[in-house]
């Protein structure tokens, strides 16, 4: 057994990766003096594990490590990180968006190395919401989150129209800061921009036209669910903006399932709210009979441990559901079983896929007229 505890190494590396995301230029090569002490120590310990196992040094290059971190930890080629290592299925970096995953943040917080907030943009978002009159804050919170998830690529005209709402006009500059100009590399040879039909974000040109004839979507949630499909063609990309990549990874990606659940339940005549009470749940019944949180962790054990320490605003609802993307079960058929076994919280929670959540709640809470027609 290695003297360098694998769990400690993983937590050090997670903390180091998450602190790197605050760099002004995340694309530039990382200098030694930019690495936190947690990252440096984590890489040293990773190198020691490689030495113990007689393998090539995987901790000598931060850039090679970051590439490796886009894959599940169990695939790093080290026996110390194979099952039953509790974080074996965890992915530390979202390879599509190029940012640390949500579970990377949670693992860093669990290690206690730093007090890591959800992110710089979420902090700014919370500060902006606090500037809105208190009684209008829930409405502002929901409308901004929904607008971003439904419009990851949007015209400047539509942004201006959105922020001109009397409730939002005072924080218009904060909302606008969540977007940036369309990158030059996303624009096609004919000067147009294509969007992904699955999520609405950029469909990037790809040199491998055989594998990706329509281009490549960089949103991992979308790729797992359906793969890239061609959406709209935008003839004036200079007059459009795209959400920044942190927001793409942390809001838009998980938001695809949140919006799917919300739209499906609304279409079934069920009274629900999106992000009710400043995000007490992702979707919640207006009468508080049920609340739903959509979670897209790659590692069920990490999610179970996270929820065991507290389920947040879900506790306010009579029935509580945690919904997992359907695609997760394609990669790990035992995902739900592992999640349920790792959850030790005292509050009962229903764990199921997004599709099963929609089916279960529609069957239970759908309008009587709808049920009668089906019978």
């Amino acid at each position: 057994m290695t003297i360098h505890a694998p769990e400690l190494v993983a937590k050090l590396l997670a903390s180091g990766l998450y602190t790197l995301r605050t760099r002004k230029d995340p694309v530039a090569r990382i200098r030694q003096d930019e690495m936190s002490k947690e990252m440096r120590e984590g890489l040293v310990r990773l190198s020691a594990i490689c030495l113990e196992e007689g393998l090539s040094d995987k901790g000598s290059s931060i850039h090679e490590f970051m590439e490796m971190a886009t894959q599940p930890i169990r695939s790093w080629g080290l026996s110390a990180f194979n099952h039953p290592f509790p974080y074996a299925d965890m992915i530390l970096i979202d390879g599509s968006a190029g940012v640390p995953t949500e579970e990377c943040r949670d693992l860093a917080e669990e290690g206690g190395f730093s007090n890591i907030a959800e992110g710089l943009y979420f902090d700014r978002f919370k500060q902006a919401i606090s500037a809105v009159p208190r009684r209008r804050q829930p409405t502002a919170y929901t409308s901004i989150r929904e607008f971003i998830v439904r419009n990851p690529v949007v015209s400047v005209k539509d942004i201006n129209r959105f922020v001109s709402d009397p409730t939002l006009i005072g924080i218009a500059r904060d909302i606008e800061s969540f977007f940036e100009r369309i990158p030059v590399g996303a624009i096609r040879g004919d000067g147009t921009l294509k969007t992904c039909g699955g999520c609405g974000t950029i469909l990037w040109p790809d040199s491998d036209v055989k594998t990706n004839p329509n281009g490549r979507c960089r949103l991992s949630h979308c790729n797992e669910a359906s793969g890239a499909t061609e959406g709209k063609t935008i003839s004036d990309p200079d007059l459009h903006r795209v959400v920044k990549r942190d927001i793409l990874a942390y809001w838009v990606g998980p938001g695809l399932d949140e919006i799917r659940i919300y739209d499906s339940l609304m279409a079934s005549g069920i009274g629900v709210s999106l992000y009710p009470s400043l995000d007490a749940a992702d979707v919640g019944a207006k009468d508080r009979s049920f609340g739903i949180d959509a979670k897209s962790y790659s590692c069920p054990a990490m999610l179970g441990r996270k929820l065991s320490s507290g389920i947040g605003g879900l506790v306010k609802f009579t029935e509580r559901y945690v919904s997992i993307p359907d695609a997760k079960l394609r990669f790990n058929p035992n995902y739900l079983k592992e999640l349920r076994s790792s959850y030790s919280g005292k509050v009962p929670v229903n764990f199921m896929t997004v599709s099963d959540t929609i089916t279960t709640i529609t069957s239970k809470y759908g309008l009587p007229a709808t049920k009668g027609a089906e019978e």
Side-chain angles (χ1 to χ4, degrees):
M1 180 177 178
T2 176
I3 61 172
H4 299 283
E7 288 192 35
L8 174 59
V9 176
K11 290 172 182 177
L12 285 165
L13 294 171
S15 178
L17 286 171
Y18 206 81
T19 55
L20 282 173
R21 66 190 287 275
T22 62
R23 300 170 73 229
K24 291 182 179 180
D25 185 1
V27 178
R29 290 188 66 83
I30 301 167
R31 303 191 310 270
Q32 182 75 14
D33 61 359
E34 290 182 300
M35 291 193 289
S36 66
K37 64 178 182 179
E38 290 86 10
M39 175 59 80
R40 290 195 294 269
E41 184 175 348
L43 290 174
V44 168
R45 289 173 179 262
L46 179 63
S47 296
I49 292 177
C50 294
L51 180 63
E52 288 176 1
E53 297 192 10
L55 300 173
S56 60
D57 188 352
K58 300 178 184 294
S60 60
S61 167
I62 177 63
H63 301 96
E64 290 180 11
F65 164 71
M66 290 179 71
E67 178 66 27
M68 186 171 69
T70 64
Q71 303 298 319
I73 293 177
R74 57 178 157 72
S75 69
W76 292 3
L78 296 166
S79 61
F81 295 125
N82 290 339
H83 290 293
F85 177 64
Y87 311 121
D89 296 315
M90 184 179 294
I91 296 174
L92 297 179
I93 296 180
D94 184 328
S96 299
V99 297
T101 61
E102 186 177 3
E103 38 201 323
C104 177
R105 178 201 69 196
D106 291 342
L107 185 58
E109 288 182 333
E110 188 175 285
F113 297 110
S114 54
N115 182 21
I116 297 175
E118 181 163 342
L120 299 177
Y121 294 108
F122 192 71
D123 288 344
R124 185 180 300 172
F125 177 52
K126 289 188 294 185
Q127 291 172 4
I129 291 296
S130 67
V132 175
R134 184 175 297 274
R135 63 185 178 85
R136 295 182 179 178
Q137 287 180 9
T139 300
Y141 184 99
T142 296
S143 62
I144 295 170
R145 288 282 298 271
E146 183 176 9
F147 180 80
I148 288 174
V149 174
R150 292 190 188 273
N151 302 279
V153 172
V154 61
S155 69
V156 174
K157 182 179 179 180
D158 285 341
I159 294 175
N160 291 338
R161 184 184 297 116
F162 177 69
V163 300
S164 67
D165 182 287
T167 300
L168 305 176
I169 195 166
I171 57 172
R173 186 163 296 181
D174 295 284
I175 298 170
E176 292 166 354
S177 72
F178 300 149
F179 296 86
E180 62 186 1
R181 297 182 68 86
I182 303 297
V184 174
I187 299 175
R188 308 274 168 154
D190 61 1
T192 63
L193 173 76
K194 292 187 183 297
T195 64
C196 175
C199 63
T201 191
I202 293 173
L203 199 58
W204 292 77
D206 195 283
S207 57
D208 186 358
V209 294
K210 185 176 181 180
T211 305
N212 303 303
N214 298 317
R216 183 165 54 91
C217 176
R218 292 185 178 178
L219 193 59
S220 58
H221 298 75
C222 182
N223 287 322
E224 289 180 359
S226 59
T229 58
E230 189 170 343
K232 298 186 299 183
T233 297
I234 296 173
S235 60
D236 53 354
D238 284 348
L239 300 180
H240 285 71
R241 299 292 183 264
V242 60
V243 294
K244 294 178 177 178
R245 59 181 190 162
D246 275 26
I247 298 173
L248 185 69
Y250 301 134
W251 287 5
V252 178
L256 298 178
D257 285 328
E258 297 161 1
I259 293 293
R260 177 188 169 193
I261 294 169
Y262 173 74
D263 287 349
S264 297
L265 298 186
M266 286 290 287
S268 298
I270 302 173
V272 290
S273 300
L274 190 62
Y275 313 122
S277 303
L278 299 173
D279 208 20
D282 292 329
V283 180
K286 292 182 177 180
D287 63 2
R288 296 294 179 99
S289 56
F290 64 83
I292 308 165
D293 266 353
K295 299 291 186 182
S296 56
Y297 285 43
S298 58
C299 179
M302 184 71 234
L303 178 55
R305 291 172 68 153
K306 170 76 172 177
L307 294 172
S308 295
S309 65
I311 60 171
L314 270 186
V315 74
K316 299 177 181 179
F317 298 86
T318 304
E319 286 191 329
R320 296 155 291 271
Y321 294 82
V322 169
S323 297
I324 307 301
D326 297 17
K328 294 298 182 188
L329 270 68
R330 290 206 311 269
F331 303 114
N332 180 3
N334 295 318
Y335 189 105
L336 287 173
K337 180 180 178 181
E338 294 173 13
L339 173 57
R340 293 182 184 116
S341 66
S342 62
Y343 177 68
S344 59
K346 295 181 179 179
V347 180
V349 177
N350 298 296
F351 298 104
M352 57 184 69
T353 63
V354 169
S355 291
D356 286 346
T357 300
I358 293 170
T359 299
T360 299
I361 294 179
T362 300
S363 175
K364 188 169 184 178
Y365 296 97
L367 293 175
T370 303
K371 292 182 178 179
E374 292 175 351
E375 293 171 357

